[in-house]
């Protein structure tokens, strides 16, 4: 509505006039929060600069505003700020990030300032880091199969371009290796495309960042990667803004520049903890395990910034990584994530212990977008039924193993023995593979049939007669 | 925008705004906040203060911004043009917003819910003439709204009087004058648009008992845990257990006239999926595209939280509007937990005393009020219609003991509990046959009896009994292994496993299997109970279970859902004959 926009502009203009004003002194400083009294009317979520005694400006955002007090969350932390010495400037606009393609190949902090010693890249445009909800009618439903070369993903939990597919991992499990392997090997069938990787690190150690950098370097892809690092030694509050900066650049690259962007975000658990920290400080009523009631909406604001847009060439595929506290998948962080994302790759510590890489748990892992991206013309016509059959058989293996642990393996029926063998093959040959082994989809599917051949045909209810003839009996006759 | 200023912003805390200097604002009044005119609703009044819940992102709103009153409660525009449209939680048409602001939804944009330019061919109701006394709800005329839905333009429920003008047949815009009623308060000019506040149920003449099933085409539902038209059901389940797929399947294949699908705080792509798929799918009953009977409401997880709270009321009000025209409407709300969480977030921001897990104490009341809006009714216009509510529940950690699931259970009469183990084994729909129930069963039996006789209820009871028995037998197996059981008992396990594979599992992706007519469902059920009776007898005669399982027809039973289409149920006669013959032959060997 044009009049509304004009009115908005008038209001904003008036506020911009006042935005120059500087307020000296804070009424309270609590963790990353600074409280300022007696200000002009300050807008909700407005950008703030807090200037410390040395004259260094730190960026922040308004969390709560009233005619009495304004609460500012300072992204660079409040270390060294004093109540009388803090000067606050309200900028009359929200936090933006200057973005451009030239940011590829560079390293930034969580707020998008260079960490690699280079100059700040010249921005093509300024974008609000908080983003805006995508109109559901503007979306294009994602259906392009991405081959990762990893059987447990391609065969069973297929990744689709524009999908948000997190890795639910635990401390000490090889989630970084898998994410890096996916980033290196991911390709569309039938050709190279313009791609880029945006990497956001929240609260992880330097060596993790180094591991990813080296991995991109070895693949010769570093020029297509932008890194936003808010490492373990940076103020924890900076993690709140890091994924937003990363996604803002991703949106620019995907929707303005037509690139296919893979966004890797690690570790979402650290992000959520920072959010909890602030919520607790503000005395908000918590929901589960002390996390704020709006954690779901907050995470959705990030995860929903993925997908494809009608009539636009690029896409954003998200690969968030999170470590499940105590390996507990019902913990609020994985739980709420799973409710938002389009599936999840779940790691199993026990498989890792048996030396299986990647330790992708067969049953709780899921790709919700798989159904529209596999099958005839996309992967292979037998793929949907084959995957479904593998899931069903593997699920039965789990039951048989439980049974065997009670009554002993000798007591199992011959059929159950066959299932045990199938399970062993499935985990050792199908799921397990090398850290740089890049399997084609055909190879993956053929391996799946290899596994099924360890079972009698009558057991395979989920595949069709024709598929049995072509892939199960077919080879056996040769 | 109205220029009546009713107050000023005092504090902004997310979607909740505290106002000061409030003079003549009304409770639940629709307001606009600040110069960009963000839509909000007054949810609390105290002294000169008020609390406003804002339906858009409040970034940039500052203290002392003006709050403008509208004098009206948050209401919907009701009239031709709703069907086939996708709205956000406060009935803004999303396609129109796309034209206005592009791929991202900007703040402060407004668009009328009903297209003002489109012409509708209006046919005045025969038998009406100047001077006719019209009661509330009386039909004034008809408009073919979509290829499947005839829109019945009615006198609004809160109006009535003597007809002093009725437009002749012709093409009209929704806001054109089509009738005048003279009432005690003078003459009222009517257009095809009615307004109705989302939080008030629309009045009806009376409620009827629920005796007709709402057929979904999903076997586990229709055969084991049926829903009644006008009934309520909850589908609780952890993430990935199949709530959305179940809702989609029902929205596609159920036998109501109209579907209102509310995406409340869930994924954007799921709405896109519906938008892509529904226009292409054909409603098996009408032969028309599914979109011709569907209204979508999308307030996805990244859209403002307060609008999520409003979206379920918007949905159910739309459903009531069509019910009042004599239609059967099914409302799907995916997910009611996001609605409850929105209530929690708003309540928290208002610093109310929380009850369980941070939810406000009025949560159960709100849930009850929502489900109460379902029912099978006699409408004011003298027709029959129904609203059925199918609510997904997303319990944290998949734990059904949490408040939303528990309170919902109190107010719904049907419960389709999704089971994580089943979903993990890719047994879909993962509706647990042990936790689920339908309290409509007894009331629906006469309907079945009338259509197919007593067979249905009998077979159903037989199979439910076996499923219960299986649980006990499996406990034994877990301790001592299957070999310890005699064949007669192993056959129970075998039969249940067949029933799960062949009948309960239903693939939403298979063109034949995605929905089954009740005829097909019944025939499938009867074949399985036939196998049970014949198999049992055969085992008594000494036939081994291994041999029995190898009977060719038994293998065919497992795949009959894929091989026998809905329009070829006579194939089941042949399959039954082959089964009998196969078992006869086996028995002959052992005799
Ligand atoms: N009836 C079904 N047929 C086939 N697949 C199903 C069915 N129900 C669920 N699924 C599978 O389970 C996944 C998750 O289902 P969904 O309904 O999105 O779960 P929820 O809404 O409970 O999180 C789907 O993406 C699909 O792969
Ligand atoms: Mg869902």
């Amino acid at each position: 509505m044009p009049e509304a926009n004009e009115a908005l502009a008038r209001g904003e203009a008036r506020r911009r006039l006042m935005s120059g004003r500087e307020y000296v002194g804070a009424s309270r400083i609590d963790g990353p929060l600074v409280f300022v009294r007696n200000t002009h009317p300050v807008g909700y979520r407005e950008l703030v600069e807090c200037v410390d005694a040395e004259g260094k400006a730190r960026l922040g955002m308004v969390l709560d505003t009233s005619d009495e007090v304004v609460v500012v969350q300072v992204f660079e932390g409040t270390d060294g700020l004093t109540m009388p010495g803090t000067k606050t400037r309200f900028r009359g606009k929200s936090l933006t990030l200057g973005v451009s393609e030239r940011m590829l190949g560079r390293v930034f902090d969580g707020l998008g300032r260079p960490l690699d010693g280079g100059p700040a890249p010249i921005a093509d445009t300024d974008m609000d880091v908080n983003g805006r909800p995508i109109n559901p009618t503007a979306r294009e439903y994602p259906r392009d199969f991405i081959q990762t070369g990893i059987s447990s993903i391609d065969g069973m939990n297929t990744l689709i371009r524009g999908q948000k597919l997190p890795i639910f991992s635990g401390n000490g499990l090889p989630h970084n290796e898998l994410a890096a392997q996916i980033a290196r090997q991911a390709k569309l069938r039938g050709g190279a495309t313009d791609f880029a990787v945006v990497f956001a690190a929240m609260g992880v150690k330097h060596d993790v960042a180094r591991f990813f950098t080296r991995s991109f370097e070895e693949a010769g892809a570093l020029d297509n990667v932008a890194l936003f690092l808010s490492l373990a030694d940076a103020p924890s509050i900076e993690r709140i803004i890091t994924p937003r900066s990363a996604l803002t650049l991703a949106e620019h690259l995907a929707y303005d520049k037509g690139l296919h962007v893979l966004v890797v975000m690690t570790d979402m658990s650290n992000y959520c903890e920072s959010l909890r920290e602030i919520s607790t400080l503000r005395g908000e009523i918590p929901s589960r395990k002390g996390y704020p009631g709006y954690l779901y909406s907050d995470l959705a604001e990030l995860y929903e910034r993925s997908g494809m847009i009608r009539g636009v060439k690029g896409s954003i595929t998200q690969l968030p990584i999170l470590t499940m506290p105590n390996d507990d998948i019902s913990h609020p962080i994985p739980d709420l994530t799973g409710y938002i994302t389009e599936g999840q790759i779940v790691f199993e510590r026990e498989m890792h212990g048996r030396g299986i890489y990647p330790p992708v748990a067969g049953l709780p892992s899921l790709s919700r977008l798989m159904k529209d991206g596999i099958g005839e013309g996309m992967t292979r016509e037998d793929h949907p039924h084959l995957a479904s059959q593998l899931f069903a058989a593997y699920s039965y293996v789990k039951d048989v193993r439980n049974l065997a642990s009670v009554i002993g393996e000798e007591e199992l029926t011959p059929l159950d023995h066959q299932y045990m063998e199938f399970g062993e093959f499935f985990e050792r040959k199908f799921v397990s593979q090398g850290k740089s082994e890049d399997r084609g989809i055909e190879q993956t599917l053929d391996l799946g049939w290899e596994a099924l051949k360890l079972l009698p045909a009558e057991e395979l209810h989920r595949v069709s007669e024709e598929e049995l003839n072509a892939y199960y009996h077919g080879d056996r006759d040769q | 925008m109205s220029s009546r200023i009713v107050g000023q912003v005092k504090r902004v805390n997310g979607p909740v705004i505290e106002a000061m200097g409030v003079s003549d604002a009304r409770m639940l009044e629709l307001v606009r906040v600040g110069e960009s005119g963000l839509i909000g609703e007054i949810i609390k009044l105290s002294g000169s203060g008020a609390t406003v819940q804002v339906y858009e992102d409040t970034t940039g709103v500052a203290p002392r911004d003006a709050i403008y009153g509208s004098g009206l409660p948050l209401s919907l525009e009701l009239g031709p043009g709703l069907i086939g449209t996708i709205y956000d939680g406060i009935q803004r048409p999303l396609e129109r917003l796309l034209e206005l602001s592009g791929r991202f939804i900007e703040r402060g944009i407004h668009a009328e819910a009903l297209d003002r330019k489109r012409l509708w061919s209006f046919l005045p109701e025969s038998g009406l003439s100047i001077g006719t006394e019209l009661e509330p709800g009386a039909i004034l005329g008809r408009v073919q709204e979509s290829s499947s839905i005839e829109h019945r333009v009615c006198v609004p429920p809160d109006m009535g009087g003597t007809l002093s003008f009725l437009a002749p047949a012709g093409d009209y815009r929704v806001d054109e004058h089509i009738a005048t009623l003279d009432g005690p308060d003078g003459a009222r000019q009517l257009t095809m648009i009615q307004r109705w506040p989302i939080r008030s149920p629309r009045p009806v003449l009376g409620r009827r008992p629920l005796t007709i099933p709402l057929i979904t085409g999903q076997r586990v539902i229709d055969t084991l845990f049926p829903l009644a038209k006008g009934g309520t059901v909850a589908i609780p389940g952890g993430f990935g257990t199949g709530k959305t797929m179940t809702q989609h399947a029902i929205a596609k294949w159920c036998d109501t006239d109209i579907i209102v699908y509310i995406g409340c705080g869930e994924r954007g792509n799921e709405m896109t999926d519906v938008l892509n798929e529904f226009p292409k799918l054909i409603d098996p009953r009408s032969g028309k595209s599914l979109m011709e009977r569907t209204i979508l409401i999308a307030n996805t997880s990244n859209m403002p939280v307060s609008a999520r709270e409003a979206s379920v009321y918007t949905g159910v009000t739309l459903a009531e509007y069509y019910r009042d025209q004599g239609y059967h409407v099914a409302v799907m709300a995916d997910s009611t937990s996001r609605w409850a969480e929105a209530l929690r977030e708003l309540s928290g921001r208002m610093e109310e005393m929380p009850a369980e897990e941070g939810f406000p104490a009025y949560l159960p009341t709100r849930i009850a009020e929502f489900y109460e809006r379902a029912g099978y009714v006699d409408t004011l216009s003298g027709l029959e219609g129904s609203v059925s509510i199918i609510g997904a529940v997303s319990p944290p950690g998949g734990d059904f003991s949490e408040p939303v699931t528990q309170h919902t259970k109190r107010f719904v009469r049907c419960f389709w509990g999704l089971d994580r183990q089943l979903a993990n084994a890719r047994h879909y729909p993962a509706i647990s046959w042990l936790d689920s129930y339908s309290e409509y069963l007894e009331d629906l039996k006469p309907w079945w009896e009338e259509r197919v006789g007593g067979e249905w209820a009998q077979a159903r009871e037989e199979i439910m009994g076996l499923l219960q028995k299986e649980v006990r037998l499996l406990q034994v197996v877990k301790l001592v292994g299957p070999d310890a059981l005699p064949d007669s008992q192993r056959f129970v396990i075998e039969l249940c496993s067949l029933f799960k594979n062949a009948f309960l599992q239903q693939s939403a992706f298979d063109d034949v299997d995605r929905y089954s007519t009740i005829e097909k469902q019944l025939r499938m059920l009867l074949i399985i109970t036939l196998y049970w009776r014949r198999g049992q007898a055969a085992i008594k005669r000494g036939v081994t279970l291994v041999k029995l399982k190898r009977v060719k027809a038994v293998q065919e039973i497992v795949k009959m859902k894929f091989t026998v289409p809905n329009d070829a149920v006579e194939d089941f006669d042949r399959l039954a004959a082959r089964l009998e013959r196969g078992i006869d032959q086996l028995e002959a060997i052992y005799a």
Side-chain angles (χ1 to χ4, degrees), chain A residues 339 368, chain B residues 240 242-245 266-267 270 334:
Chain A
Y339 271 119
R368 292 164 187 262
Chain B
K243 297 178 294 299
T244 305
M245 291 289 297
E266 296 282 311
R267 301 175 185 84
E270 290 175 347
D334 186 14

Side-chain angles (χ1 to χ4, degrees), chain A residues 112-370:
Chain A
R113 290 172 305 203
L115 280 183
D116 52 8
I122 300 156
D124 288 344
T125 172
D126 270 342
M127 288 170 69
D128 188 333
V129 293
N130 294 309
R132 286 256 174 272
I134 298 179
N135 188 324
T137 62
R139 285 184 187 270
E140 172 89 51
Y141 194 75
R143 44 176 81 244
D144 300 331
F145 163 65
I146 296 182
Q147 180 176 305
T148 66
I150 296 155
S151 294
S152 50
I153 296 180
D154 294 351
M156 311 288 286
N157 303 287
T158 318
L159 179 65
I160 302 292
R161 194 153 74 178
Q163 184 171 17
K164 36 190 183 289
L165 188 65
I167 300 176
F168 288 8
S169 183
N171 292 315
L173 297 181
H175 42 267
N176 295 327
E177 283 82 349
L178 184 67
Q181 189 175 2
I182 294 174
R184 279 196 318 266
Q185 298 182 176
K187 54 183 149 301
L188 278 194
R189 270 190 124 188
T193 39
D194 302 331
F195 86 101
V197 176
V198 175
F199 179 83
M202 290 145 303
V204 299
K205 304 232 170 60
H206 283 270
D207 50 349
V208 172
R210 247 193 323 267
F211 166 81
F212 276 99
T213 320
R214 220 178 27 241
S215 154
F216 295 132
E217 204 166 19
E218 279 163 16
L222 209 48
D223 286 347
N224 291 325
V225 182
L227 295 99
F228 290 82
L229 305 181
S230 174
L231 300 179
D233 51 5
S236 88
I237 179 89
E238 191 185 308
R239 293 169 203 166
I240 302 280
I241 214 72
T242 311
R244 293 186 162 80
S245 301
L247 288 165
T248 303
L249 174 62
E251 281 172 348
H252 173 66
L253 296 176
Y255 306 143
D256 298 334
K257 299 292 170 190
L259 300 183
H260 294 289
V261 187
L262 177 71
V263 181
V264 179
M265 305 193 285
T266 184
D267 175 333
M268 290 309 292
S269 301
N270 294 336
Y271 170 85
C272 296
E273 267 158 30
S274 297
L275 213 59
R276 175 169 67 175
E277 224 171 273
I278 293 163
S279 174
T280 312
L281 269 176
R282 296 187 62 202
E284 291 171 337
I285 300 158
S287 63
R288 279 168 75 217
K289 299 220 156 121
Y291 290 91
Y294 49 80
L295 181 59
Y296 175 83
S297 302
D298 189 280
L299 285 173
E301 254 179 47
L302 302 179
Y303 296 142
E304 281 287 318
R305 291 173 81 173
S306 59
M308 299 181 69
I309 304 278
R310 271 199 278 152
V312 172
K313 204 171 130 242
S315 65
I316 297 179
T317 307
Q318 281 191 23
L319 207 62
I321 298 171
L322 59 87
T323 45
M324 299 183 278
N326 280 322
D327 293 347
D328 175 10
I329 195 169
S330 70
H331 183 280
I333 299 173
D335 191 50
L336 295 180
T337 297
Y339 271 119
I340 304 164
T341 54
E342 285 145 348
Q344 62 278 336
I345 303 291
V346 184
F347 275 8
E348 200 171 273
R349 193 168 294 279
E350 187 261 346
M351 283 173 88
H352 179 64
R354 284 192 286 134
I356 296 168
Y357 171 88
V360 174
L363 302 183
S365 301
L366 168 73
S367 163
R368 292 164 187 262
L369 298 188
M370 170 172 182

Side-chain angles (χ1 to χ4, degrees), chain B residues 221-351:
Chain B
I221 294 175
D222 296 341
T223 297
L224 295 192
F225 311 108
L227 175 63
K229 287 211 172 76
T232 50
V233 58
I235 316 180
F239 62 81
T241 51
K243 297 178 294 299
T244 305
M245 291 289 297
T246 306
Q247 297 255 29
H248 281 197
I250 299 173
K252 286 172 191 167
W253 311 121
C254 83
D255 69 344
T256 60
D257 304 306
I258 291 173
I259 301 293
V260 178
Y261 193 98
I262 313 168
C264 174
E266 296 282 311
R267 301 175 185 84
N269 274 332
E270 290 175 347
M271 298 313 291
T272 314
D273 192 16
V274 174
L275 277 174
N276 284 344
E277 224 188 338
F278 277 39
K280 291 182 213 143
L281 291 171
I282 299 300
D283 177 357
R285 293 178 322 129
S286 70
K288 303 284 167 30
S289 144
L290 281 176
M291 208 58 200
E292 302 281 295
R293 66 160 198 181
T294 307
I295 305 175
L296 298 175
I297 298 180
N299 218 92
T300 56
S301 57
N302 55 341
M303 285 157 81
V305 166
S306 339
R308 211 179 284 170
E309 191 268 334
S311 65
V312 301
Y313 298 106
T314 298
V316 79
T317 305
L318 290 172
E320 287 177 346
Y321 176 65
Y322 282 97
R323 171 203 67 190
D324 291 348
Q325 297 173 36
Y327 288 113
H328 296 291
V329 190
V331 176
M332 340 254 139
D334 186 14
S335 155
T336 61
S337 293
R338 306 298 165 224
W339 162 60
E341 285 158 14
L343 279 180
R344 173 171 71 188
E345 179 171 346
L346 295 166
S347 159
R349 303 238 189 211
M350 294 188 326
E351 286 155 17

Side-chain angles (χ1 to χ4, degrees), chain A residues 371-398:
Chain A
K371 57 182 169 36
D372 294 300
I374 61 169
E376 200 171 348
M378 294 170 286
T379 53
R380 205 169 73 185
E381 78 283 357
D382 57 316
H383 191 170
H385 288 164
L386 171 64
S388 170
Q389 184 63 67
L390 287 169
F391 274 122
Y394 188 59
S395 139
Y396 188 72
V397 169
K398 295 270 172 173

